[in-house]
Amino acid sequence: MNTEAIKAIYTAEMRRTRNTLLQSIASPVLSTCLYFIVFGSAIGSRIESVGGVSYGAFIVPGLMMLSLLTQSISNASFGIFFPKFTGTVYEVLSAPVSFFEVIVGYVGAATTKSLIIGVIILITASFFVDLRIEHPFWMLAFLLMTCVAFSLFGFIIGLWADNFEKLQLVPLLIITPLVFLGGTFYSIDMLPPLWQKISLFNPLLYLISGFRWSFYEVADVNVVLSLTMTAGFLLACLLVVWYMFKTGYKLKQ
Amino acid sequence: MSETKPAHNRAPIVKIRGLTKTYGNGHSALKDVNLDIHEGEILAVLGPNGAGKTTLISIICGLVNATGGSVTVGGYDHVKQYRQSRELIGLVPQELALGAFELVENTVALSRGLFGKPRNPEFVNSLLDKLSLVDKADSPVNRLSGGMKRRVLIAKALSHEPRVLFLDEPTAGVDVELRKDMWAVIDELRADGVTIILTTHYIEEAEAIADRVGVINDGEILVIDDKQALMDKLGKKQLVIELRESIASIPAPLEHYSLQLNSAGDALTFTYDVRAERTGITQLLNAVQSAGLGLKDLSTSQSSLEDIFVNLVAADS
């Protein structure tokens, strides 16, 4: 195990985060605060509670997920896309490192950054709404798994993308709609029956539902199912990355 | 230290056997390449653009997958024992690939870490010092000039104390002064015992710094030998006979000497093999005299590596 390499990649990636602190951390936190003000306080005060939870508090887990997903993806995808773009990836490819060490370094750093953002959002939210966390352990478990899984997913996008447009494509056109339609701002009970059924095909619904359950014990789907889906997605991403490295997909000719 | 020792007496540190590479588009970049690189030597791989130089280096370093054949570095297979083999290698790529905002010392430290060596700021500092980069240690890499960037890439490649250094066209697009500068750096590295393989399409570069020269064209190594031996073996010498009076054509008695008459008609060029038993110069000069031609001057010149190279590549294609 080349632990020095993991340390080196992780340190370099975290340094990049520090150097772009405003953009990396301040901006997602600010946008989430805006959501809280608009949907939580202003509009939320006129919406009745959902499953016994005030609307402002109800959307906290969903908003956290929204930020975590987009941030994890963009951190990790950029982290590997940029070296590919500038050509510096030659160094990682010629170094005595395994795919796993590269992943731990890059995805570890992206996950760390997402976790920091998640915690800041949680603290910020506590100023706006009455928060309670029924299952802190499961909350952390969901948080961590989500960050890792979507950082891996971002890493895949970063490996796959060969231009900046493709890099933005998946997050903007697939992830953002799925998060919004996955119950960030509502419980699927509020939807007409047909749309409830369709929503069940949205993988992010399971994630958001499980995460919300760890806060308020309010869920759209069974929490075990949520957990299984999240873990399954994480494993699937890991397999894809492993395969990409093994075959040298878009990295080696 | 820079005294050339007979390279074949030393054990090969890199062994390449039957290496082939066919790209996805069907282009065959390497065709059965066999090559031994000896410890401590400077080997120049000379070839025109697209000859397969970069592909060869990229396969050894792990950037490109070979189609067939084997490579060992320090006795370790470059695929099965990639950790051991890669630890011995440093690579300076052709492109000036550096991040944008990273500081010089950080990017060198990153390279060291990637190759599994624990942090060592003193060593990194001494390396920067050797490459005259020490006052740039805390500059972002994107603020450096091209020559400085190349030095940073060398520092990165040397950061884990490799035994073999690959330099892919280290002086491509670099002005004459910087090129001489780079040669001095390479010479110093050799003095430290680093084996150096450099690719180049500048003949004068190979001539100036290499111990051995390999000529590669169209994916095949046409010839590889000690630089001097190569020049001796393939070197042709030319004798230029300047005439006192111009002539319109080569006189009949001289026709079988395969002489060339210049356009002004006042100089004859005789090409001969230095290594031949009889060069035929005496006979020729006698013949010139009996043909009644007056001599103004005689001069000889030995063909350079460049001529050898051009001839080889031309004969190959």
Side-chain angles (χ1 to χ4, degrees), chain A residues 198-211:
Chain A
I198 293 174
S199 293
L200 290 176
F201 288 99
N202 180 351
L204 298 189
L205 171 79
Y206 298 85
L207 205 63
I208 295 169
S209 165
F211 195 49

Side-chain angles (χ1 to χ4, degrees), chain A residues 145-237:
Chain A
M145 270 168 48
T146 307
C147 292
V148 174
F150 282 83
S151 295
L152 277 170
F153 187 63
F155 196 81
I156 294 170
I157 294 172
L159 282 175
W160 163 78
D162 30 33
N163 57 41
F164 278 97
E165 201 198 358
K166 278 191 183 173
L167 196 62
Q168 304 290 348
L169 214 61
V170 177
L172 277 179
L173 295 186
I174 299 176
I175 300 300
T176 310
L178 286 183
V179 182
F180 273 84
L181 299 175
T184 303
F185 294 104
Y186 55 81
S187 161
I188 58 166
D189 292 345
M190 301 175 183
L191 295 173
L194 176 67
W195 283 101
Q196 289 194 22
K197 291 237 162 43
I198 293 174
S199 293
L200 290 176
F201 288 99
N202 180 351
L204 298 189
L205 171 79
Y206 298 85
L207 205 63
I208 295 169
S209 165
F211 195 49
R212 186 171 285 136
W213 171 85
S214 69
F215 279 76
Y216 312 119
E217 292 189 313
V218 175
D220 287 327
V221 289
N222 186 304
V223 65
V224 180
L225 192 58
S226 290
L227 208 59
T228 318
M229 290 286 278
T230 314
F233 184 66
L234 195 156
L235 279 175
C237 288

Side-chain angles (χ1 to χ4, degrees), chain B:
Chain B
M1 281 298 279
S2 61
E3 188 82 4
T4 312
K5 283 174 260 168
H8 43 84
N9 290 346
R10 284 166 276 166
I13 188 158
V14 180
K15 249 170 131 170
I16 301 169
R17 291 292 176 270
L19 199 63
T20 58
K21 172 66 187 177
T22 307
Y23 283 105
N25 58 11
H27 172 62
S28 184
L30 292 179
K31 301 162 187 162
D32 188 31
V33 169
N34 294 287
L35 177 63
D36 280 343
I37 298 164
H38 306 288
E39 184 141 30
E41 74 171 339
I42 298 185
L43 171 69
V45 178
L46 204 56
N49 288 326
K53 304 186 296 283
T54 300
T55 301
L56 179 64
I57 287 191
S58 299
I59 290 176
I60 302 171
C61 296
L63 303 181
V64 170
N65 294 325
T67 308
S70 70
V71 178
T72 61
V73 182
Y76 299 110
D77 184 271
H78 81 137
V79 177
K80 290 190 201 98
Q81 296 161 300
Y82 72 97
R83 285 189 196 266
Q84 292 92 327
S85 87
R86 290 184 189 179
E87 272 168 17
L88 301 175
I89 300 177
L91 167 65
V92 182
Q94 191 173 339
E95 307 292 329
L96 289 176
L98 279 169
F101 313 109
E102 263 184 304
L103 307 185
V104 170
E105 58 186 354
N106 287 342
T107 192
V108 176
L110 166 67
S111 305
R112 187 176 166 83
L114 275 175
F115 281 79
K117 288 278 167 86
R119 274 177 59 79
N120 186 344
E122 289 79 34
F123 175 77
V124 168
N125 210 53
S126 71
L127 195 57
L128 294 179
D129 190 38
K130 190 183 282 177
L131 292 160
S132 332
L133 282 167
V134 87
D135 54 328
K136 303 282 183 202
D138 51 2
S139 302
V141 285
N142 60 351
R143 296 236 190 101
L144 301 178
S145 67
M148 283 291 170
K149 280 183 182 160
R150 184 76 64 188
R151 283 165 179 268
V152 173
L153 286 172
I154 294 179
K156 281 167 78 73
L158 291 172
S159 66
H160 61 283
E161 302 156 74
R163 278 165 62 199
V164 187
L165 183 67
F166 288 91
L167 291 150
D168 196 0
E169 308 237 352
T171 60
V174 165
D175 66 38
V176 179
E177 194 143 333
L178 272 175
R179 193 173 304 162
K180 295 250 162 80
D181 220 35
M182 196 57 66
W183 294 351
V185 169
I186 292 170
D187 212 46
E188 261 179 65
L189 293 177
R190 190 250 293 271
D192 291 344
V194 182
T195 306
I196 295 166
I197 296 92
L198 67 102
T199 67
T200 182
H201 54 255
Y202 296 115
I203 323 280
E204 55 162 342
E205 186 153 281
E207 208 159 359
I209 58 176
D211 298 321
R212 281 202 307 156
V213 178
V215 177
I216 185 170
N217 188 44
D218 200 20
E220 287 173 293
I221 293 190
L222 302 181
V223 65
I224 181 154
D225 211 336
D226 284 354
K227 179 176 63 185
Q228 202 51 51
L230 189 66
M231 289 174 68
D232 289 348
K233 188 156 63 188
L234 295 160
K236 294 270 167 58
K237 236 173 164 177
Q238 290 189 322
L239 171 68
V240 178
I241 306 165
E242 284 187 53
L243 305 173
R244 208 173 287 149
E245 280 154 19
S246 307
I247 50 174
S249 62
I250 297 171
L254 298 178
E255 259 169 3
H256 66 279
Y257 283 101
S258 67
L259 293 166
Q260 277 179 310
L261 183 65
N262 68 346
S263 53
D266 61 357
L268 291 163
T269 305
F270 174 59
T271 307
Y272 61 96
D273 193 338
V274 214
R275 314 217 320 159
E277 287 274 303
R278 302 173 67 89
T279 55
I281 293 179
T282 323
Q283 277 185 313
L284 172 71
L285 289 180
N286 286 336
V288 169
Q289 206 168 16
S290 48
L293 301 175
L295 302 182
K296 191 169 150 197
D297 198 6
L298 289 174
S299 61
T300 64
S301 63
Q302 180 148 19
S303 59
S304 66
L305 206 48
E306 174 143 24
D307 305 316
I308 297 171
F309 172 69
V310 170
N311 286 339
L312 270 174
V313 172
D316 184 50
S317 50

